[in-house]
Amino acid sequence: DGTVDEGEMSPKNLLSTTITDELRMATNFKGKVIGMSLKDRGAILPAGHFANWAFWYSKTGSFISSTFYGDKLPDWVTQFNQEKHYLPYINKGWDLFKSPATYNESLTDDNAYEGLLYNSKKAPVLPYNLKEMYAKNDAGVIRSTPFGNNLLASFAMKAIDKEELGKDNITDFLTVSFSSTDYVGHLLGPRSMELQDTYLRLDATIAEFLNYLDKTVGKDNYLLFLTADHAGAENVNFLKDNKYNVASVSP
Protein backbone atom coordinates (compact mmCIF):
# COMPACT_ATOMS: atom_id res chain seq x y z
CA ASP A 1 0.00 0.00 0.00
CA GLY A 2 3.04 2.28 0.34
CA THR A 3 6.27 2.78 -1.60
CA VAL A 4 9.16 0.35 -1.15
CA ASP A 5 11.39 2.97 0.50
CA GLU A 6 8.70 3.84 3.03
CA GLY A 7 8.24 0.20 4.00
CA GLU A 8 11.84 -0.93 4.44
CA MET A 9 11.96 -0.13 8.15
CA SER A 10 12.58 -2.04 11.38
CA PRO A 11 14.05 -1.54 14.88
CA LYS A 12 17.45 -2.95 13.80
CA ASN A 13 19.24 0.30 14.74
CA LEU A 14 17.64 0.48 18.18
CA LEU A 15 20.45 -0.49 20.57
CA SER A 16 18.51 -0.50 23.83
CA THR A 17 15.66 -2.39 25.37
CA THR A 18 12.38 -0.51 25.83
CA ILE A 19 9.51 -0.54 28.29
CA THR A 20 7.48 -2.35 25.64
CA ASP A 21 10.21 -4.99 25.24
CA GLU A 22 10.23 -5.53 28.99
CA LEU A 23 6.44 -5.97 28.98
CA ARG A 24 6.65 -8.57 26.23
CA MET A 25 9.28 -10.51 28.15
CA ALA A 26 7.51 -10.14 31.50
CA THR A 27 4.30 -11.63 30.06
CA ASN A 28 6.18 -14.43 28.26
CA PHE A 29 5.30 -12.68 24.99
CA LYS A 30 1.56 -12.98 25.62
CA GLY A 31 0.89 -9.25 26.11
CA LYS A 32 0.39 -7.49 22.78
CA VAL A 33 2.50 -4.47 21.82
CA ILE A 34 1.47 -2.31 18.87
CA GLY A 35 3.07 0.99 17.84
CA MET A 36 1.67 3.57 15.44
CA SER A 37 2.47 7.03 14.17
CA LEU A 38 2.45 9.20 11.08
CA LYS A 39 6.25 8.63 11.10
CA ASP A 40 8.04 5.30 10.76
CA ARG A 41 10.41 6.10 13.64
CA GLY A 42 7.53 7.30 15.81
CA ALA A 43 5.84 3.93 15.37
CA ILE A 44 8.83 1.60 15.49
CA LEU A 45 11.05 2.90 18.30
CA PRO A 46 8.45 3.17 21.11
CA ALA A 47 7.17 -0.33 20.25
CA GLY A 48 10.65 -1.85 20.64
CA HIS A 49 12.21 -5.02 19.26
CA PHE A 50 9.46 -7.48 20.11
CA ALA A 51 6.36 -5.60 18.94
CA ASN A 52 3.54 -7.56 17.38
CA TRP A 53 3.09 -4.73 14.89
CA ALA A 54 4.19 -1.20 14.09
CA PHE A 55 2.22 0.87 11.58
CA TRP A 56 3.11 4.20 10.02
CA TYR A 57 1.50 6.51 7.48
CA SER A 58 2.46 6.46 3.83
CA LYS A 59 2.23 9.27 1.30
CA THR A 60 -0.23 7.00 -0.53
CA GLY A 61 -2.71 7.63 2.31
CA SER A 62 -2.38 4.12 3.77
CA PHE A 63 -0.98 2.90 7.07
CA ILE A 64 1.81 0.48 6.24
CA SER A 65 4.24 -1.82 8.02
CA SER A 66 7.16 -4.04 7.01
CA THR A 67 7.95 -7.74 6.68
CA PHE A 68 9.86 -7.47 9.96
CA TYR A 69 6.43 -7.67 11.63
CA GLY A 70 4.50 -9.87 9.22
CA ASP A 71 4.12 -10.89 5.59
CA LYS A 72 0.62 -9.45 5.26
CA LEU A 73 -1.20 -6.54 6.88
CA PRO A 74 -4.04 -7.52 9.22
CA ASP A 75 -7.38 -7.47 7.39
CA TRP A 76 -8.68 -4.62 9.55
CA VAL A 77 -5.75 -2.39 8.48
CA THR A 78 -6.39 -3.16 4.81
CA GLN A 79 -10.06 -2.29 5.26
CA PHE A 80 -9.22 0.94 7.10
CA ASN A 81 -6.88 1.92 4.26
CA GLN A 82 -9.47 1.17 1.62
CA GLU A 83 -11.93 3.50 3.35
CA LYS A 84 -9.57 6.46 2.74
CA HIS A 85 -10.26 8.21 6.03
CA TYR A 86 -7.90 11.06 5.09
CA LEU A 87 -10.06 12.28 2.20
CA PRO A 88 -12.84 14.02 4.20
CA TYR A 89 -10.18 16.14 5.93
CA ILE A 90 -8.57 16.99 2.60
CA ASN A 91 -11.93 17.92 1.07
CA LYS A 92 -12.98 20.09 4.01
CA GLY A 93 -9.75 22.09 4.23
CA TRP A 94 -8.17 23.75 7.25
CA ASP A 95 -9.65 26.79 8.98
CA LEU A 96 -9.47 28.04 12.58
CA PHE A 97 -10.90 25.67 15.19
CA LYS A 98 -11.81 28.50 17.62
CA SER A 99 -12.60 32.20 17.33
CA PRO A 100 -9.60 34.38 16.34
CA ALA A 101 -9.46 35.97 19.82
CA THR A 102 -8.51 32.57 21.26
CA TYR A 103 -5.13 32.68 19.53
CA ASN A 104 -3.48 35.09 21.94
CA GLU A 105 -0.29 33.00 22.16
CA SER A 106 0.41 33.43 18.44
CA LEU A 107 1.82 36.08 16.15
CA THR A 108 -0.32 37.44 13.31
CA ASP A 109 -1.46 34.82 10.83
CA ASP A 110 0.94 35.99 8.11
CA ASN A 111 4.29 36.86 9.68
CA ALA A 112 7.91 36.90 8.57
CA TYR A 113 8.89 33.83 10.60
CA GLU A 114 6.75 31.21 8.86
CA GLY A 115 7.59 28.83 6.06
CA LEU A 116 5.21 27.76 3.33
CA LEU A 117 2.94 24.76 3.71
CA TYR A 118 3.90 22.08 1.19
CA ASN A 119 5.68 24.43 -1.21
CA SER A 120 2.53 26.46 -1.67
CA LYS A 121 3.22 29.80 -3.37
CA LYS A 122 0.45 31.42 -1.36
CA ALA A 123 1.13 33.14 1.97
CA PRO A 124 0.82 30.89 5.04
CA VAL A 125 -2.64 32.12 5.99
CA LEU A 126 -5.71 30.21 7.12
CA PRO A 127 -7.90 28.84 5.64
CA TYR A 128 -5.89 26.38 3.54
CA ASN A 129 -7.28 24.68 0.45
CA LEU A 130 -5.98 21.17 1.09
CA LYS A 131 -7.55 19.82 -2.10
CA GLU A 132 -5.19 21.99 -4.15
CA MET A 133 -2.17 20.86 -2.13
CA TYR A 134 -3.24 17.22 -2.39
CA ALA A 135 -3.63 17.49 -6.17
CA LYS A 136 -0.11 18.92 -6.53
CA ASN A 137 1.54 16.56 -4.03
CA ASP A 138 0.16 13.39 -2.43
CA ALA A 139 -1.75 12.20 0.64
CA GLY A 140 1.28 13.06 2.77
CA VAL A 141 0.00 16.65 2.94
CA ILE A 142 -2.25 15.67 5.85
CA ARG A 143 0.85 15.19 8.03
CA SER A 144 1.41 18.96 8.06
CA THR A 145 -2.13 19.70 9.23
CA PRO A 146 -3.85 18.99 12.57
CA PHE A 147 -5.86 16.27 10.87
CA GLY A 148 -2.97 13.83 10.77
CA ASN A 149 -3.55 13.53 14.52
CA ASN A 150 -7.28 12.94 14.01
CA LEU A 151 -6.54 10.23 11.45
CA LEU A 152 -4.09 8.53 13.79
CA ALA A 153 -6.55 8.60 16.69
CA SER A 154 -9.18 6.93 14.51
CA PHE A 155 -6.65 4.28 13.54
CA ALA A 156 -5.71 3.75 17.20
CA MET A 157 -9.33 3.24 18.22
CA LYS A 158 -9.78 0.74 15.40
CA ALA A 159 -6.66 -1.12 16.58
CA ILE A 160 -7.98 -1.36 20.14
CA ASP A 161 -11.23 -2.79 18.81
CA LYS A 162 -9.91 -5.23 16.21
CA GLU A 163 -6.83 -6.40 18.14
CA GLU A 164 -8.93 -6.68 21.33
CA LEU A 165 -6.40 -4.73 23.37
CA GLY A 166 -7.13 -4.66 27.09
CA LYS A 167 -9.78 -7.39 26.85
CA ASP A 168 -8.08 -10.00 29.07
CA ASN A 169 -6.02 -9.91 32.27
CA ILE A 170 -2.66 -9.83 30.44
CA THR A 171 -1.37 -6.29 29.96
CA ASP A 172 -1.17 -4.94 26.39
CA PHE A 173 0.69 -1.78 25.33
CA LEU A 174 -0.37 0.59 22.54
CA THR A 175 2.04 3.39 21.62
CA VAL A 176 0.54 6.32 19.69
CA SER A 177 2.91 9.04 18.53
CA PHE A 178 1.09 12.18 17.33
CA SER A 179 3.40 13.86 14.82
CA SER A 180 1.38 16.62 13.16
CA THR A 181 2.46 19.07 15.86
CA ASP A 182 6.03 18.31 14.79
CA TYR A 183 5.45 18.87 11.07
CA VAL A 184 3.44 22.07 11.58
CA GLY A 185 5.93 23.39 14.14
CA HIS A 186 8.92 22.87 11.85
CA LEU A 187 7.22 24.44 8.83
CA LEU A 188 5.36 27.34 10.40
CA GLY A 189 7.11 27.93 13.72
CA PRO A 190 6.13 27.71 17.39
CA ARG A 191 4.37 31.11 17.38
CA SER A 192 2.17 30.51 14.35
CA MET A 193 -1.61 30.49 14.61
CA GLU A 194 -1.45 27.20 12.73
CA LEU A 195 0.53 25.49 15.49
CA GLN A 196 -1.71 26.82 18.26
CA ASP A 197 -4.69 25.62 16.23
CA THR A 198 -3.04 22.20 15.92
CA TYR A 199 -2.63 21.94 19.70
CA LEU A 200 -6.18 23.14 20.38
CA ARG A 201 -7.46 20.43 18.07
CA LEU A 202 -5.10 17.79 19.53
CA ASP A 203 -6.45 18.55 22.99
CA ALA A 204 -9.96 17.73 21.73
CA THR A 205 -8.68 14.63 19.92
CA ILE A 206 -7.02 13.29 23.08
CA ALA A 207 -10.23 13.96 25.04
CA GLU A 208 -12.18 11.91 22.49
CA PHE A 209 -9.61 9.12 22.70
CA LEU A 210 -9.75 9.03 26.52
CA ASN A 211 -13.54 8.88 26.40
CA TYR A 212 -13.22 5.94 24.02
CA LEU A 213 -10.86 4.17 26.44
CA ASP A 214 -13.23 4.77 29.34
CA LYS A 215 -16.09 3.19 27.39
CA THR A 216 -14.21 0.23 25.90
CA VAL A 217 -11.39 -0.71 28.27
CA GLY A 218 -13.12 0.88 31.26
CA LYS A 219 -12.23 3.62 33.73
CA ASP A 220 -9.38 2.62 36.08
CA ASN A 221 -8.59 -0.38 33.84
CA TYR A 222 -5.78 1.28 31.89
CA LEU A 223 -2.61 3.21 32.62
CA LEU A 224 -1.87 6.24 30.45
CA PHE A 225 1.56 7.74 29.76
CA LEU A 226 1.58 11.17 28.08
CA THR A 227 5.03 12.38 27.06
CA ALA A 228 6.87 14.11 24.20
CA ASP A 229 9.90 13.37 22.05
CA HIS A 230 10.90 16.98 21.36
CA ALA A 231 9.53 20.45 20.71
CA GLY A 232 9.82 23.16 18.07
CA ALA A 233 12.65 25.67 18.36
CA GLU A 234 12.06 29.40 18.28
CA ASN A 235 12.75 31.06 14.95
CA VAL A 236 16.23 32.57 15.26
CA ASN A 237 15.30 35.71 13.32
CA PHE A 238 12.33 36.28 15.62
CA LEU A 239 14.69 36.21 18.62
CA LYS A 240 17.17 38.50 16.86
CA ASP A 241 14.44 40.99 15.98
CA ASN A 242 13.57 41.10 19.67
CA LYS A 243 17.20 42.08 20.46
CA TYR A 244 18.51 38.67 21.44
CA ASN A 245 22.19 38.32 20.50
CA VAL A 246 21.90 35.51 17.99
CA ALA A 247 22.39 35.01 14.26
CA SER A 248 20.90 32.58 11.80
CA VAL A 249 23.56 30.29 10.32
CA SER A 250 23.04 29.00 6.80
CA PRO A 251 23.08 25.19 6.63
Side-chain angles (χ1 to χ4, degrees):
D1 286 334
T3 65
V4 173
D5 289 347
E6 289 179 300
E8 291 182 336
M9 301 294 167
S10 80
K12 66 173 287 186
N13 294 322
L14 178 61
L15 302 182
S16 65
T17 182
T18 63
I19 187 172
T20 41
D21 287 332
E22 297 298 335
L23 175 70
R24 287 283 282 162
M25 290 189 285
T27 60
N28 199 23
F29 293 84
K30 293 174 183 174
K32 278 189 179 181
V33 168
I34 295 176
M36 58 179 61
S37 178
L38 298 178
K39 293 179 174 180
D40 47 21
R41 49 213 176 273
I44 292 167
L45 297 178
H49 300 274
F50 304 132
N52 298 85
W53 282 102
F55 304 107
W56 53 97
Y57 188 66
S58 163
K59 61 187 178 183
T60 63
S62 294
F63 282 94
I64 63 173
S65 191
S66 78
T67 53
F68 177 86
Y69 300 100
D71 294 328
K72 178 179 173 287
L73 285 174
D75 290 341
W76 68 265
V77 177
T78 301
Q79 182 179 348
F80 187 93
N81 289 337
Q82 289 172 347
E83 291 166 356
K84 298 185 185 298
H85 290 259
Y86 64 91
L87 271 180
Y89 297 112
I90 296 287
N91 290 332
K92 187 177 181 181
W94 179 11
D95 204 350
L96 288 179
F97 185 49
K98 305 277 189 180
S99 66
T102 307
Y103 298 81
N104 59 354
E105 296 179 43
S106 309
L107 298 175
T108 56
D109 195 8
D110 185 11
N111 63 76
Y113 312 108
E114 296 178 292
L116 295 174
L117 200 61
Y118 263 87
N119 301 317
S120 171
K121 293 180 181 177
K122 297 178 181 177
V125 176
L126 291 150
Y128 288 99
N129 185 330
L130 300 181
K131 283 194 284 189
E132 282 184 5
M133 293 183 188
Y134 174 56
K136 293 177 181 177
N137 296 276
D138 50 54
V141 298
I142 202 170
R143 290 188 180 111
S144 299
T145 75
F147 311 117
N149 292 333
N150 294 82
L151 182 66
L152 186 65
S154 297
F155 189 63
M157 289 185 276
K158 184 66 71 172
I160 291 168
D161 177 31
K162 297 300 184 181
E163 295 289 338
E164 299 188 328
L165 302 181
K167 292 297 184 185
D168 57 27
N169 61 358
I170 301 171
T171 302
D172 302 315
F173 204 128
L174 175 67
T175 71
V176 185
S177 181
F178 292 106
S179 302
S180 285
T181 46
D182 187 340
Y183 285 101
V184 176
H186 284 314
L187 276 173
L188 297 162
R191 295 180 182 271
S192 63
M193 290 182 76
E194 288 89 345
L195 187 62
Q196 188 172 355
D197 193 71
T198 300
Y199 272 104
L200 288 168
R201 290 176 183 273
L202 178 59
D203 186 63
T205 300
I206 291 174
E208 180 188 358
F209 186 56
L210 295 182
N211 285 332
Y212 177 82
L213 289 176
D214 286 346
K215 290 175 183 175
T216 55
V217 181
K219 284 188 177 181
D220 302 323
N221 288 340
Y222 62 89
L223 180 64
L224 181 81
F225 298 84
L226 184 61
T227 184
D229 57 357
H230 66 84
E234 291 281 8
N235 182 295
V236 173
N237 293 317
F238 170 76
L239 297 177
K240 184 178 181 180
D241 289 346
N242 281 279
K243 302 182 180 180
Y244 191 68
N245 185 20
V246 66
S248 182
V249 179
S250 168

